[in-house]
């Protein structure tokens, strides 16, 4: 019993918070502001508690696995959730059903924890559903907006479709190998056609969640319609969790088929980078813009994944940590502007620097980090992904990835140009950023600057891998 | 002397600039920072000479090494040889002049100076790093400040130019990155360390792929034909100090990289590509010169002539004799000082006349004796008058090129010598039309240079004269370093 408490500590803590919120919601009503403060404190404590009393081990007949690396991955996700609670405080305070939003969000987070920890295809499927369905409800949270319901509908339909594919893949895999446990699967795999087919279906399910081309079509619409807090949760925390399980599945379970999935990952990576980048070039809406840029970022993550080595795993985890800071900072700025002025078009950002220098610099920092410009952390993250990918010796692949960085730089600079250079008769008025959002933005900025320059963070991850 | 000081001083200056409250404080802090850096550069130069005099023949001096990302075998490894010292001195001269020239920038002064200092930080770091990873890191740090400087404070079609510059330079650095990764994974041990790599065996096939990537990548920065197109637009749209930094410092990053990384590390492949580099640089020299003849805008004149002058840098590297490479480095120093001064003078003229068109000016020497005189000095330097730096540098390149006895190199040398005639035509035409002749009515009330402009001009003129009249100290500084590179080049191709 005691052992279970420490091994499943992250999940239990999140469950406790969910129940606490439920009771508070059912009991006497609290003011939204004090409620939000309480949630922020709870999430901060949850994040800090993640670093203590950890234990490695397996539970429930190896359905549930916990290692130090997985603990770190959960902490990274916890950090993302804490930052979301800080950054979107403006929108959250006004939201009528704020506690429910967090109950849903934390349920999804719980699903992601089980997802990363799963040691069995069934557990994996359950966790994936738990991490998806609440997000669809979160997408519908702007109750008075039609687009929000549309986004939720698209999200639930596409994820149901991908779940179908996944289940089909799981059943084929079971038929081909006679087992659903990850550790036994890796011994059974030998590359027979049926196994390959099953693997392709599993791969497609992952690709849906990560919005890898050609399974990316739902992304932009869902991102645009959902409230900003949901969008950022989807694009940062949810992507991070799926990337973690994806890479560990490829590296551990499907290790025997590496020569096969290497080519798949490479081709899909090239397609994802190019298509994400080309679509991002023409976007006017900042949310759609960030959606396509996040598709391109997933292409980069695939470059690191293709390495198939310890370096690849380390650099992917490192990149996702950096990506959380950079992308959340960009979403945080966009949300601060949107929640007060309702403007989310890049053209509206013209002349922003004249009125909001603080937000402008933060946005610039975040976009430079996403583009991979030194000295921001994004530079190190992308460089290590590319270096890991290059260790296989495919320079053609790396050259394409490096050239894609130039395309992405073009559209990130477009926003920078609007903010800093272009003139506007009526720029966005001075935006009031409340204290907790400011704190969140500062944490993100500190992360963007420091995670790269302080090399011990990378070393720390490397030791756990 | 600890080389970290060279990075920490601009960093501290940049942070202080951000903390200042008004524009005057910002200017003085930046000026003091740049002055300290100039003093440091001279102190480093003196210390370096002392070490060499004392017989320290180590390749790189004042090395410091800190652990940074040990998992990737990246070290924060700094060190200098003669070429780096020459480049650092050049940077320090240009930075202080640039800070002085921008004294009356009123629009967002703090941000302007912050970006200038950040750019110089990138350059200093680049010139002293001995680890390819941090070299690349500093190379890219210097790109975004340029973009913002041009885009926010520039003139004309500034957004287009800024975008073009940023994308082309980042494209160049992407090629550099792939080349560096190629070296990293194919060297006998995985390392980014330049000193280790220079002594280790890199397979010939890898060199053949990586050399063009690295040379073209760095070449984009130094206006290698046909990747020079950002130069005219970028320079003409940039604010005065921006143009000075671009031409004086930023273009030198490329030349330094071509020499130090591409040619030095991949010496076997370098010899194979020598003729292609020579052809491209001769095209750049002649094309740049003829294109300048057609220009009417002073900034465009200087920008196109930069393409031509930087062609000499690449020619010197491409010829691959020791003298020609020394000449290439001297040309980098000379061209850096000269164009920085030229752009400074153009900025001063433009501020007063509000035009850069040669045809609309005339007789400015009468109203502005100081600025006019400096314009003459820099013009004569550009066309290679003996006694000024341009002559010394170009002469060394030609002498080095002539050492190669084959007909092809001879023809290339003669063709590039011919450009000097064209240079004389456009320079003399531009400066006589600007400074001589009848003074126009609207220019009757112009004033001469202010104290800060005078100081900036004097600092750069002193540099030009020092190189021009006493080239031996620069020569002594550079020669041992190029000898090392040349020695690498002379090594026989490994038999495999």
């Amino acid at each position: 019993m005691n052992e279970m408490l420490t091994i499943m500590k992250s999940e239990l803590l999140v469950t406790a918070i969910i129940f606490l919120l439920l009771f508070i919601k059912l009991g006497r009503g609290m003011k939204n502001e004090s409620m939000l403060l309480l949630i922020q404190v709870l999430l901060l404590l949850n994040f800090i508690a993640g670093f203590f009393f950890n234990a490695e081990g397996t539970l429930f007949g190896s359905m549930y696995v916990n290692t130090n690396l997985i603990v770190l991955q959960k902490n990274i996700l916890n950090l993302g959730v804490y930052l979301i609670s800080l950054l979107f405080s403006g929108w959250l305070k006004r939201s009528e059903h704020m506690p429910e939003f967090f109950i849903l969000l934390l349920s999804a987070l719980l699903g992601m924890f089980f997802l990363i920890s799963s040691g069995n295809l069934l557990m994996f499927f359950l966790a994936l559903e738990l991490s998806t369905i609440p997000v669809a409800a979160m997408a519908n949270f702007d109750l008075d907006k039609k687009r929000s319901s549309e986004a939720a509908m698209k999200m639930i339909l596409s994820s149901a479709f991908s779940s179908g594919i996944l289940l089909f893949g799981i059943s084929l895999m079971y038929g081909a190998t006679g087992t659903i446990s990850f550790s036994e699967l890796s011994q059974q795999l030998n590359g027979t056609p049926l196994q390959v087919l099953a693997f392709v279906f599993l791969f497609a399910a992952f690709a849906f969640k990560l919005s890898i081309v050609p399974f990316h079509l739902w992304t932009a619409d869902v991102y645009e319609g959902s409230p900003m807090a949901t969008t950022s949760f989807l694009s940062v925390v949810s992507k991070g969790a799926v990337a973690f399980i994806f890479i560990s599945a490829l590296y551990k379970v499907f290790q025997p088929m590496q020569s096969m999935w290497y080519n798949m990952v490479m081709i899909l990576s090239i397609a994802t980078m190019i298509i994400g980048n080309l679509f991002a070039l023409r976007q006017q809406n900042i949310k759609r813009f960030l959606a396509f840029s996040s598709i391109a970022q997933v292409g980069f993550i695939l470059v690191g994944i293709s390495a198939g080595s310890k370096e690849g795993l380390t650099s992917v985890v490192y990149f996702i940590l950096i990506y959380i800071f950079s992308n959340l900072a960009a979403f945080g700025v966009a949300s601060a502007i949107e929640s007060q002025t309702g403007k989310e078009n890049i053209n509206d950002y013209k002349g922003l620097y004249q009125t909001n220098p603080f937000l402008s610099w933060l946005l610039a920092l975040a976009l430079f980090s996403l583009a991979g410009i030194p000295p921001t952390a994004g530079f190190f993250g992308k460089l290590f992904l590319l270096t890991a990918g290059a260790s296989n010796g495919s320079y053609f692949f790396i050259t394409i990835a490096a050239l894609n960085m130039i395309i992405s730089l073009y559209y990130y600079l477009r926003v920078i140009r609007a903010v800093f250079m272009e003139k506007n008769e009526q720029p966005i008025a001075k935006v009031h950023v409340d204290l907790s959002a400011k704190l969140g933005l500062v944490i993100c900025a500190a992360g963007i600057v420091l995670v790269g320059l302080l090399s011990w963070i990378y070393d720390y991850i490397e030791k756990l891998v | 002397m600890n080389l970290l000081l060279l990075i920490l001083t601009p960093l501290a200056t940049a942070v202080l600039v951000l903390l200042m409250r008004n524009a005057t404080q910002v200017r003085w802090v930046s000026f003091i920072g740049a002055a300290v850096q100039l003093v440091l550069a001279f102190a480093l130069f003196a210390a370096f000479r002392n070490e060499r005099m004392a017989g320290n023949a180590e390749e790189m001096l004042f090395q410091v090494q800190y652990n940074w990302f040990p998992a990737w075998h990246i070290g924060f490894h700094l060190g200098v040889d003669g070429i780096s010292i020459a480049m650092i001195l050049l940077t320090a001269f240009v930075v202080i002049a640039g800070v002085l020239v921008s004294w009356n920038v009123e629009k967002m002064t703090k941000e302007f100076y912050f970006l200038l200092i950040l750019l110089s930080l990138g350059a200093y770091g680049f010139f002293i790093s001995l680890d390819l990873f941090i070299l690349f890191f500093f190379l890219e740090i210097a790109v975004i400040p340029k973009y913002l400087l041009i885009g926010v404070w520039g003139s004309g079609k500034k957004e287009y130019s800024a975008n073009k510059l940023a994308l082309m330079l980042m494209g160049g650095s992407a090629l550099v990155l792939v080349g560096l990764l190629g070296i990293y994974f194919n060297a006998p041990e995985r390392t980014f360390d330049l000193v280790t790599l220079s002594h280790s065996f890199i397979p010939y096939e890898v060199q053949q792929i990586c050399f063009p990537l690295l040379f073209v990548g760095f070449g984009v920065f130094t206006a290698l034909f046909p990747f020079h197109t950002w130069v005219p637009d970028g320079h003409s749209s940039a604010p005065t100090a921006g143009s000075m930094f671009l031409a004086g410092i930023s273009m030198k990053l490329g030349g330094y990289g071509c020499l130090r990384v591409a040619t030095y590390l991949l010496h076997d492949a370098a010899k194979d590509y020598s003729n292609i580099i020579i052809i491209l640089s001769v095209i750049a020299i002649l094309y740049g010169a003829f294109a300048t003849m057609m220009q009417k805008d002073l900034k465009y004149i200087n920008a196109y002539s930069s393409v031509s002058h930087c062609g000499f840098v690449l020619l010197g590297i491409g010829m691959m004799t020791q003298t020609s490479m020394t000449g290439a480095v001297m040309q980098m120093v000379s061209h850096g000082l000269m164009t920085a001064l030229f752009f400074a003078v153009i900025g001063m003229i433009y501020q007063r006349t509000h035009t850069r068109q040669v045809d609309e000016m005339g007789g400015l020497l009468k109203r502005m004796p100081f600025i006019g005189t400096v314009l003459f000095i820099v013009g004569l330097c550009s066309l290679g008058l003996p006694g000024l730096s341009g002559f010394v540098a170009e002469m060394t390149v030609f002498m080095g090129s002539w050492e190669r006895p084959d007909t092809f190199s001879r023809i290339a040398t003669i063709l590039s010598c011919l450009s000097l005639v064209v240079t004389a035509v456009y320079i003399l035409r531009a400066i006589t039309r600007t400074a001589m002749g009848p003074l126009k009515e609207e220019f009757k009330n112009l004033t001469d240079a202010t104290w800060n402009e005078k100081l900036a001009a004097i600092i750069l003129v002193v540099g030009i004269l020092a190189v021009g009249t006493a080239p031996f100290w620069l020569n002594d500084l550079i020669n041992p370093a190029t000898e090392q590179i040349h020695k690498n080049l002379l090594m026989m191709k490994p038999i495999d």
Side-chain angles (χ1 to χ4, degrees):
Chain A
M1 188 62 204
N2 206 1
E3 189 196 12
M4 191 177 137
L5 277 182
T6 49
I7 292 178
M8 289 187 70
K9 183 198 63 188
S10 321
E11 287 81 358
L12 292 174
L13 276 175
V14 172
T15 318
I17 297 177
I18 293 174
F19 275 103
L20 197 63
L21 290 181
L22 259 179
F23 289 135
I24 293 175
K25 175 70 190 172
L26 290 177
R28 286 180 56 205
M30 263 170 104
K31 265 195 191 159
N32 246 0
E33 285 175 22
S34 43
M35 182 82 188
L36 183 63
L37 189 67
L38 174 73
I39 292 173
Q40 285 167 351
V41 171
L42 283 175
L43 289 176
L44 177 63
L45 290 177
N46 177 38
F47 170 62
I48 294 171
F51 289 95
F52 303 101
F53 307 113
N54 290 309
E56 292 189 308
T58 55
L59 290 173
F60 315 127
S62 81
M63 271 182 106
Y64 176 94
V65 186
N66 205 23
T67 64
N68 283 332
L69 179 67
I70 290 177
V71 169
L72 176 76
Q73 292 173 343
K74 287 176 184 167
N75 286 340
I76 292 177
L77 300 185
N78 268 335
L79 174 70
V81 169
Y82 172 60
L83 286 175
I84 286 174
S85 77
L86 288 178
L87 286 171
F88 302 98
S89 58
W91 178 80
L92 287 167
K93 272 180 204 161
R94 279 186 286 108
S95 171
E96 231 177 298
H97 305 281
M98 201 257 291
E100 285 94 326
F101 183 80
F102 275 101
I103 292 171
L104 289 169
L105 189 148
L106 290 172
S107 312
L109 182 70
L110 188 64
M112 287 164 196
F113 284 177
F114 279 114
L115 186 70
I116 309 176
S117 279
S118 57
N120 181 307
L121 281 172
L122 265 187
M123 181 73 169
F124 169 74
F125 175 71
L126 271 178
L128 197 66
E129 289 301 284
L130 180 55
S131 71
T132 313
I133 293 169
V135 181
M138 281 158 67
N140 197 8
F141 237 73
D142 269 341
L143 293 171
D144 47 348
K145 283 188 191 159
K146 253 189 177 170
R147 308 200 75 148
S148 187
S149 334
E150 185 194 325
M153 201 62 202
K154 277 184 177 151
M155 166 105 205
I156 201 81
L157 282 178
S158 63
S159 62
F161 187 57
S162 81
S163 299
I165 292 178
L166 178 64
L167 273 180
F168 196 46
I170 290 176
S171 55
L172 280 181
M173 193 54 96
Y174 182 65
T177 58
T179 176
I180 49 170
S181 150
F182 282 171
S183 50
E184 286 171 33
L185 260 178
S186 60
Q187 291 154 16
Q188 298 283 338
L189 287 174
N190 47 21
T192 59
L194 187 60
Q195 286 175 3
V196 173
L197 187 66
F199 172 71
V200 169
F201 278 116
L202 287 178
F203 197 100
F206 279 118
F208 252 112
K209 298 290 174 213
L210 280 173
S211 47
I212 294 170
V213 171
F215 305 101
H216 66 289
L217 294 165
W218 60 276
T219 319
D221 290 342
V222 173
Y223 279 26
E224 189 188 3
S226 314
M228 205 81 92
T230 312
T231 311
S232 61
F233 181 75
L234 253 178
S235 83
V236 176
V237 182
S238 168
K239 281 238 170 91
V242 180
F244 288 146
I245 181 69
F246 184 45
I247 190 167
S248 73
L250 284 184
Y251 282 21
K252 296 205 179 96
V253 184
F254 296 104
Q255 173 67 31
M257 299 162 96
Q258 192 183 349
S259 58
M260 197 199 88
W261 62 250
Y262 173 73
N263 287 329
M264 271 172 82
V265 169
M266 183 172 82
I267 293 165
L268 290 184
S269 162
I270 292 175
T272 309
M273 279 188 289
I274 291 179
I275 290 180
N277 277 332
L278 292 184
F279 275 93
L281 287 179
R282 299 199 56 80
Q283 300 307 321
Q284 286 302 322
N285 181 296
I286 188 93
K287 275 154 110 185
R288 283 187 86 84
F289 167 82
L290 286 171
F292 280 108
S293 100
S294 82
I295 292 177
Q297 302 281 349
V298 169
F300 268 97
I301 294 178
L302 288 181
V303 176
I305 291 180
S306 79
S309 60
K310 189 178 167 190
E311 282 103 29
L313 181 51
T314 318
S315 57
V316 168
V317 176
Y318 183 64
F319 183 80
I320 284 171
L321 174 65
I322 293 164
Y323 180 63
I324 280 184
F325 286 122
S326 338
N327 221 14
L328 279 184
F331 272 117
V333 173
S335 152
I337 290 166
E338 191 240 24
S339 72
Q340 282 187 26
T341 61
K343 290 179 175 171
E344 48 182 54
N345 211 310
I346 294 175
N347 282 333
D348 297 330
Y349 282 39
K350 283 182 185 169
L352 184 71
Y353 187 69
Q354 303 304 327
T355 47
N356 295 293
F358 172 70
L359 287 182
S360 304
W361 278 120
L362 267 167
L363 185 64
L365 198 63
L367 293 180
F368 284 146
S369 181
L370 287 174
I373 308 270
T376 60
F379 169 78
F380 297 93
K382 278 206 171 155
L383 213 63
F384 293 155
L385 285 180
L386 287 185
T387 315
S391 61
N392 278 336
S394 174
Y395 293 102
F396 169 70
F397 181 27
I398 300 308
T399 312
I400 288 183
L403 291 178
N404 262 291
M405 281 175 76
I406 315 301
I407 307 179
S408 70
L409 182 67
Y410 174 78
Y411 58 77
Y412 290 123
L413 286 183
R414 229 184 78 211
V415 182
I416 304 280
R417 193 171 68 195
V419 170
F420 285 91
M421 297 173 194
E422 280 166 347
K423 298 217 163 37
N424 194 349
E425 298 296 302
Q426 291 163 310
I428 290 168
K430 175 98 185 122
V431 171
H432 173 74
V433 186
D434 63 10
L435 197 64
S436 70
K438 241 180 209 159
L439 176 66
L441 286 172
V442 168
I443 294 175
C444 285
I448 290 172
V449 176
L450 294 179
V451 172
L453 295 176
L454 301 177
S455 64
W456 61 263
I457 295 177
Y458 186 87
D459 295 335
Y460 175 72
I461 298 173
E462 206 233 350
K463 275 194 200 87
L464 294 181
V465 169
Chain B
M1 184 174 168
N2 195 333
L3 289 177
L4 264 188
L5 277 178
L6 282 180
I7 302 176
L8 291 180
T9 318
L11 191 64
T13 316
V15 172
L16 278 176
V17 162
L18 283 185
L19 296 178
M20 290 299 120
R21 265 191 241 115
N22 59 43
T24 323
Q25 287 177 345
V26 167
R27 287 177 193 129
W28 280 105
V29 166
S30 320
F31 176 65
I32 292 167
V36 169
Q37 193 77 351
L38 186 65
V39 172
L40 276 178
F42 271 107
L44 180 69
F45 176 49
F48 185 81
R49 273 184 74 102
N50 282 343
E51 285 285 316
R52 283 281 190 252
M53 295 284 192
N56 188 344
E58 208 185 339
E59 198 185 336
M60 298 287 172
L61 292 186
F62 310 119
Q63 293 190 26
V64 279
Q65 184 144 23
Y66 303 95
N67 264 343
W68 210 40
F69 296 106
W72 289 109
H73 310 288
I74 295 166
F76 204 85
H77 190 182
L78 306 176
V80 285
D81 66 354
I83 303 176
S84 330
I85 302 254
M87 292 293 117
I88 286 165
L89 281 170
L90 164 70
T91 313
F93 268 92
V94 176
V95 170
I96 195 163
V99 166
L100 282 169
V101 163
S102 336
W103 211 255
N104 39 17
V105 169
E106 296 294 343
K107 182 183 172 191
M108 299 193 263
T109 318
K110 187 190 273 189
E111 289 86 343
F112 184 81
Y113 276 99
F114 174 73
L115 291 172
L116 279 189
I117 306 282
L118 198 64
L119 212 175
S120 76
L121 170 73
Y124 285 120
F126 182 83
F127 290 133
I128 59 176
S129 44
L130 287 185
D131 186 281
L132 295 177
F133 182 86
I134 57 171
L135 184 115
F136 182 70
F137 174 77
F138 284 118
L139 179 71
E140 286 214 332
I141 278 194
V143 174
I144 290 303
K146 289 175 217 165
Y147 171 78
L148 288 172
L149 281 172
I150 295 176
V152 180
W153 290 272
S155 56
K157 40 177 189 171
K158 53 183 183 172
E159 282 132 20
Y160 167 76
S161 311
N163 245 355
K164 190 171 180 180
L165 171 132
L167 294 174
M168 285 192 73
L169 294 190
M170 286 311 246
S173 56
L175 295 181
V176 170
L177 173 64
V178 179
L180 292 184
L181 290 179
I183 296 179
Y184 176 71
F185 283 110
N186 290 295
E189 53 172 323
R190 285 194 180 179
T191 177
F192 280 113
D193 196 90
L194 200 107
V195 180
T196 318
L197 282 172
S198 72
H199 300 303
S200 49
F201 166 76
I202 299 164
Y204 181 61
E205 307 78 54
V206 176
Q207 293 198 15
Q208 270 186 316
I209 299 169
C210 290
F211 182 81
L213 286 172
L214 283 172
F215 201 91
V216 171
F218 283 119
V220 174
F221 282 78
T222 189
L224 171 74
F225 184 86
F227 304 102
H228 63 281
T229 50
W230 63 271
V231 177
D233 291 319
H235 286 72
S236 55
S237 302
T240 304
S243 312
M244 289 169 70
F245 276 40
L246 262 181
I249 303 171
S250 171
M251 287 175 83
K252 307 299 165 289
L253 301 182
Y256 180 86
C258 284
L259 194 60
R260 167 77 81 224
V261 182
T263 314
Y264 186 37
L265 293 184
L266 308 175
H267 38 83
D268 298 324
K271 279 177 281 192
D272 297 351
Y273 287 98
S274 162
N275 285 351
I276 298 175
I277 301 170
I278 293 172
I279 292 172
L280 290 180
S281 51
V282 171
I283 294 176
I285 291 170
L286 292 176
Y287 165 79
F290 280 108
T292 320
M293 294 250 286
M294 309 306 296
Q295 303 303 322
K296 303 237 174 324
D297 183 311
L298 274 177
K299 270 198 162 180
Y300 270 102
I301 289 179
N302 197 20
Y304 273 107
S305 81
S306 282
V307 175
S308 173
H309 283 125
C310 279
F312 286 113
V313 176
L314 291 169
L315 181 72
I317 297 172
M319 284 293 179
M320 291 178 194
T321 65
Q322 197 204 328
T323 321
S324 77
M325 285 190 289
T326 309
V329 180
M330 288 177 108
Q331 172 72 352
M332 283 201 260
V333 175
S334 152
H335 174 255
L337 294 169
M338 182 182 84
T339 25
L341 183 55
F342 209 150
F343 276 122
V345 176
I346 295 170
M348 293 174 204
I349 293 175
Y350 178 71
Q351 220 170 44
R352 290 170 174 76
T353 62
H354 301 289
T355 176
R356 296 194 310 239
Q357 300 299 320
V358 174
D359 299 341
E360 293 172 16
M361 287 184 256
L364 294 182
L365 191 60
K366 287 178 193 127
R367 293 300 313 162
M368 310 188 284
F370 182 84
I371 296 179
T373 315
V374 175
L375 183 66
F376 265 98
I377 294 177
V378 75
L380 295 176
C381 177
S382 179
L383 62 77
L385 189 79
L388 299 170
S389 64
F391 169 75
V392 176
E394 279 164 24
M395 198 62 204
T396 320
V397 174
F398 290 141
M399 272 159 47
S401 309
W402 203 255
E403 281 175 16
R404 290 214 348 191
D406 54 312
T407 323
F408 173 76
S409 322
R410 287 279 150 89
I411 294 174
T413 316
I414 293 170
L415 278 176
S416 42
C417 278
L418 288 180
S419 80
L420 292 184
V421 183
V422 187
T423 313
V425 173
Y426 65 72
I427 286 290
L428 289 176
R429 197 166 61 185
I431 57 176
T432 47
R433 282 197 192 164
T434 321
M436 316 273 236
L439 183 69
K440 287 198 176 165
E441 194 59 37
E442 65 261 38
F443 297 145
K444 281 278 192 291
N445 298 322
L446 296 183
T447 50
D448 206 357
T450 53
W451 69 269
N452 55 307
E453 293 169 334
K454 278 185 181 159
L455 188 55
I458 287 170
I459 289 174
L460 290 174
V461 168
V462 166
I464 290 177
L465 283 173
V467 178
T469 50
F472 43 84
W473 63 261
L474 187 61
N475 202 42
D476 290 350
L477 187 68
I478 300 168
N479 243 334
T482 45
E483 193 184 334
Q484 194 71 34
I485 298 176
H486 191 235
K487 214 190 286 170
N488 253 7
L489 278 169
L490 284 183
M491 273 197 291
M492 293 306 282
K493 205 179 285 178
I495 302 147
D496 36 19

